[in-house]
Amino acid sequence: MTQKTRNKTKREEFSQLYSQYYPLVFNTVYSKTGNRDDAYDISQEIFIIYYEKFEKIGDNRKWLFGVLRNVVLRHYSQKSNTTVDIDSIFEDVSLTFVNGFRDTRIIIEEAIENIEISEEDRTILEYIAYNNYSYTHVGSILGMTKRQVGYRYLAIVKKILEVLREKGIQNIEDLL
Amino acid sequence: MNSIIENFQKIMRKYKFLDETPADIRDFSLASSRKGLTNILKISGDYSFIFGRMLFIYYTAKKLGIKASFLQIKITLAIISIFITLSAIIGIYLFVKPFNNSSPVTIIDKKKKKPEKYFPAQTRFKIGIEAFEGSTNEAGRRVTTAVSNSLTKILGPGSVTLVSKKNRSPVPKVLTGSIRQLGKNRYISIKIIDVESSKVEFAAAEKVTSENTVSSACFKLSKKIADRIK
């Protein structure tokens, strides 16, 4: 394969991954910065780094969110001279729970992490379950129909509930 | 089925997994995706105009719920390009046609000799001679022969042929004439007719005072004819 062909294949693969992850990264950065323009700039910075390295990366999602954390921290450091506590920005909400809520959250989190689903299914889960995107919006990001997204999301949720059942939570209503 | 999803969403909200994105931010992230990707590829030097069109198709297909590979997009783009090119050619042809009834494209080979309009390419005769009318057949035949010989001498061999009234097509011009008695003298009159337009191009007459001057009169006429058609 010539260098030119390799570059063409690279940009095509990157374009597919970018279109899949960009809204997710942008939303996360926005939730940390609260500024749309900053979120756009930071997202661009993350994906410029990603473009150079994505061919060697195994888990794209984990890598992107790892870099996101560092780039957001650098952004805060550049904006203010004061020292920023990164944990306060990426605060684990589970720490705020008491009276058994924290344990339940950890169980749910583990169930979501442990289910064996494709990278695309995990993206669907994150868009809908974490960011409250509609099926239509997810469909337009991933190139699926609303029905396809709904069907796949239901299958993912069923898998999560199955794992929860294995962990002793027989009825989903018990968690509500 | 819907209750499973509804309950799951309630759990996500209750245990603070849900970090709801404002609608305007969600819309902005969707709208700025292609622009951001284009910027990154431009910075990296891997952007091209064609790839920009491919991205346009890629994002449009996704919006319509179609996941297209870049190979499929390339094929689609090729089909669209062919369609646009053909449409443009047809459009130009239809636009030009009213102004020019001939084919819009004419290949001119300058080396190739322009074909004659009404005569086969192999025709080399400059003029065809019809039998002269005369007071007697013998007189007419004699003048025809004399004029034919004189013209052949002047114009060169193969440039003159004898033709009949029924078939004039192999020659561009036809010479008709007669020898008539007018008073004491006889006159040889000739006409050159253009076959294409059927018009008389040239007419001349020569007086013949005696039998001995027939040949010289024919030669004089032949010179006039030759000057005319050369």
Side-chain angles (χ1 to χ4, degrees):
Chain A
M1 199 188 284
T2 62
Q3 186 63 37
K4 205 176 175 183
T5 316
R6 207 176 294 130
N7 284 348
K8 281 183 180 177
T9 314
K10 184 185 171 185
R11 73 179 177 188
E12 286 167 12
E13 280 175 20
F14 175 76
S15 300
Q16 282 174 332
L17 290 167
Y18 179 94
S19 64
Q20 184 178 334
Y21 288 113
Y22 172 77
L24 210 57
V25 170
F26 180 87
N27 294 338
T28 312
V29 175
Y30 177 79
S31 73
K32 306 300 173 198
T33 59
N35 183 298
R36 202 179 74 172
D37 295 333
D38 284 349
Y40 179 77
D41 292 341
I42 291 169
S43 303
Q44 287 293 99
E45 197 178 335
I46 292 164
F47 278 102
I48 286 168
I49 302 167
Y50 180 62
Y51 186 58
E52 297 304 318
K53 298 182 178 176
F54 79 95
E55 287 167 309
K56 296 166 193 165
I57 296 165
D59 190 332
N60 293 297
R61 198 173 58 89
K62 275 186 182 168
W63 188 93
L64 280 168
F65 282 95
V67 172
L68 184 149
R69 197 182 163 91
N70 292 329
V71 175
V72 171
L73 176 66
R74 197 163 67 214
H75 169 78
Y76 273 103
S77 307
Q78 284 168 355
K79 272 211 156 181
S80 62
N81 294 325
T82 53
T83 313
V84 179
D85 178 14
I86 192 165
D87 287 331
S88 67
I89 300 163
F90 291 91
E91 191 182 5
D92 188 347
V93 284
S94 65
L95 296 171
T96 60
F97 283 84
V98 287
N99 299 333
F101 269 55
R102 183 178 165 181
D103 294 338
T104 311
R105 192 181 191 279
I106 290 167
I107 290 168
I108 296 166
E109 200 171 9
E110 277 178 1
I112 291 169
E113 286 298 319
N114 291 336
I115 51 163
E116 284 181 10
I117 51 172
S118 66
E119 209 170 315
E120 194 172 61
D121 280 349
R122 198 164 284 281
T123 312
I124 292 172
L125 178 68
E126 287 188 356
Y127 275 120
I128 300 169
Y130 294 174
N131 293 288
N132 205 27
Y133 270 51
S134 68
Y135 294 166
T136 311
H137 282 123
V138 177
S140 71
I141 294 166
L142 299 174
M144 291 179 198
T145 60
K146 185 182 168 183
R147 192 184 286 264
Q148 282 174 321
V149 175
Y151 179 79
R152 284 176 76 165
Y153 186 58
L154 181 65
I156 296 162
V157 170
K158 278 182 177 175
K159 277 186 183 175
I160 294 167
L161 297 180
E162 210 171 285
V163 175
L164 287 173
R165 252 180 235 119
E166 283 169 12
K167 287 178 182 283
I169 301 165
Q170 293 300 323
N171 208 340
I172 191 171
E173 282 82 8
D174 296 344
L175 297 172
L176 292 170
Chain B
M1 290 293 175
N2 281 339
S3 66
I4 294 172
I5 295 203
E6 275 173 27
N7 286 336
F8 183 74
Q9 288 301 97
K10 280 178 189 171
I11 290 167
M12 290 284 108
R13 197 181 295 274
K14 184 179 177 182
Y15 291 93
K16 305 223 173 193
F17 285 101
L18 191 68
D19 185 9
E20 206 162 335
T21 311
D24 63 320
I25 295 302
R26 184 193 59 212
D27 293 341
F28 179 80
S29 72
L30 294 173
S32 64
S33 178
R34 186 158 70 95
K35 185 188 161 195
L37 176 57
T38 307
N39 283 343
I40 291 170
L41 291 174
K42 277 181 181 173
I43 291 165
S44 311
D46 286 335
Y47 183 79
S48 67
F49 175 76
I50 293 170
F51 194 70
R53 300 304 95 203
M54 284 167 70
L55 283 180
F56 174 75
I57 296 171
Y58 180 70
Y59 274 90
T60 308
K62 277 195 165 188
K63 272 184 191 169
L64 298 170
I66 302 162
K67 188 189 276 180
S69 71
F70 275 90
L71 179 67
Q72 289 169 321
I73 292 165
K74 280 174 195 170
I75 294 165
T76 310
L77 196 64
I79 292 167
I80 291 169
S81 305
I82 291 166
F83 180 75
I84 290 169
T85 310
L86 284 176
S87 303
I89 290 168
I90 291 166
I92 292 166
Y93 175 74
L94 291 175
F95 180 74
V96 170
K97 200 183 173 186
F99 301 104
N100 183 11
N101 282 330
S102 62
S103 171
V105 180
T106 309
I107 298 165
I108 299 165
D109 185 358
K110 286 182 178 176
K111 287 177 186 173
K112 200 174 175 181
K113 199 178 174 184
K114 198 179 172 184
E116 287 179 40
K117 274 186 182 175
Y118 293 94
F119 312 106
Q122 65 269 25
T123 303
R124 288 181 290 111
F125 302 117
K126 287 180 179 172
I127 193 163
I129 302 172
E130 267 184 20
F132 274 62
E133 290 170 8
S135 48
T136 60
N137 283 343
E138 179 56 35
R141 259 201 300 275
R142 196 179 158 198
V143 175
T144 306
T145 308
V147 171
S148 174
N149 289 341
S150 305
L151 275 175
T152 305
K153 271 184 191 171
I154 298 163
L155 296 172
S159 54
V160 179
T161 185
L162 295 172
V163 293
S164 65
K165 278 183 182 173
K166 285 179 186 173
N167 181 21
R168 286 180 175 176
S169 60
V171 287
K173 294 176 198 307
V174 167
L175 176 72
T176 61
S178 60
I179 176 163
R180 303 272 180 212
Q181 186 78 41
L182 284 170
K184 289 179 183 175
N185 298 315
R186 286 193 294 174
Y187 288 87
I188 301 170
S189 60
I190 58 105
K191 279 188 275 186
I192 298 173
I193 299 163
D194 184 80
V195 175
E196 187 188 331
S197 60
S198 302
K199 283 181 180 172
V200 176
E201 275 192 353
F202 177 68
E206 201 67 40
K207 189 164 76 174
V208 180
T209 50
S210 66
E211 269 319 292
N212 296 334
T213 57
V214 171
S215 294
S216 63
C218 286
F219 190 76
K220 281 178 188 171
L221 281 170
S222 297
K223 273 186 86 178
K224 287 178 183 172
I225 294 161
D227 289 343
R228 185 75 192 176
I229 64 170
K230 254 180 187 174

